Amino acid sequence: MGSCGSRVGNRLRAQAGQRASLSTAELAGIRRTIDNLANEATSGSRWDLHDMEKAGRAIVEEIEVLAQRPPTQEALLLVERAARAWEGLAGYLNDAWETYEEEPAEIGGALRAVHVQICEQVQPDPDELAARLVEIVEAADVDSCLDEPDDYLTVLGHQRVKELRHRR
């Protein structure tokens, strides 16, 4: 079975509850893959913007596969790491907005959607999540893909979302 067929099989097993949470080794492997994708997109002397877009899309694929498994706090943190990795690449594409007008928002939106999904499933402590979101948004050199407070309403509640909106 090819890669696509394998992913479909994984998704079906996850939906049927037959997939276990990711092991520490699997999480570490995804973490390395995300880091490598981001680093390879900008390393060497012959990289280009297309490499960054491809890396962003590959990061989204990794995160979407992660989201097919039972949600955990560790998976949530890994999505946040992926969002930070993407932010390091998105700035370059934002600078080339004539060519890459939609890609940064599209890729960032996909990462945010998975983050929100896992947040809704894991139900992390709202104060801790809000603090992490503030840290991620403030640390970003460009706009963070996680800086859409309204998307987190069901997890954070009205007051925290209002506070996040006012930090912008």
Side-chain angles (χ1 to χ4, degrees):
M1 188 181 289
S3 174
C4 184
S6 175
R7 285 190 185 137
V8 171
N10 286 343
R11 186 177 316 126
L12 292 174
R13 282 189 293 280
Q15 289 172 349
Q18 298 174 358
R19 296 293 307 219
S21 296
L22 290 164
S23 69
T24 302
E26 288 172 313
L27 287 166
I30 294 171
R31 186 177 305 107
R32 275 191 306 278
T33 298
I34 290 167
D35 291 347
N36 289 340
L37 286 165
N39 290 332
E40 289 170 7
T42 58
S43 65
S45 60
R46 300 200 55 119
W47 57 268
D48 64 27
L49 295 173
H50 182 69
D51 294 333
M52 292 176 203
E53 178 195 2
K54 283 184 357 187
R57 293 190 188 284
I59 289 170
V60 167
E61 286 179 17
E62 288 294 319
I63 293 306
E64 287 175 342
V65 169
L66 168 80
Q68 295 170 11
R69 301 291 284 272
T72 63
Q73 180 69 25
E74 293 79 13
L76 182 61
L77 296 174
L78 193 50
V79 176
E80 292 171 9
R81 183 183 191 106
R84 289 178 190 235
W86 169 241
E87 289 159 9
L89 301 174
Y92 293 103
L93 296 182
N94 285 333
D95 288 343
W97 60 269
E98 305 89 3
T99 305
Y100 294 95
E101 183 177 354
E102 298 174 10
E103 289 82 351
E106 179 185 323
I107 293 168
L111 289 170
R112 185 177 58 259
V114 172
H115 188 253
V116 169
Q117 171 192 334
I118 294 176
C119 283
E120 289 173 344
Q121 294 169 333
V122 171
Q123 290 293 310
D125 178 89
D127 291 326
E128 290 176 16
L129 176 60
R132 282 199 319 272
L133 288 171
V134 166
E135 179 186 327
I136 291 167
V137 168
E138 289 179 352
D141 290 332
V142 297
D143 292 336
S144 171
C145 64
L146 301 183
D147 191 11
E148 291 293 335
D150 292 335
D151 290 358
Y152 295 91
L153 183 62
T154 60
V155 182
L156 295 176
H158 289 286
Q159 186 59 38
R160 285 181 202 85
V161 166
K162 184 178 175 183
E163 291 168 6
L164 288 176
R165 268 194 240 125
H166 286 19
R167 289 186 154 288
R168 294 172 128 185

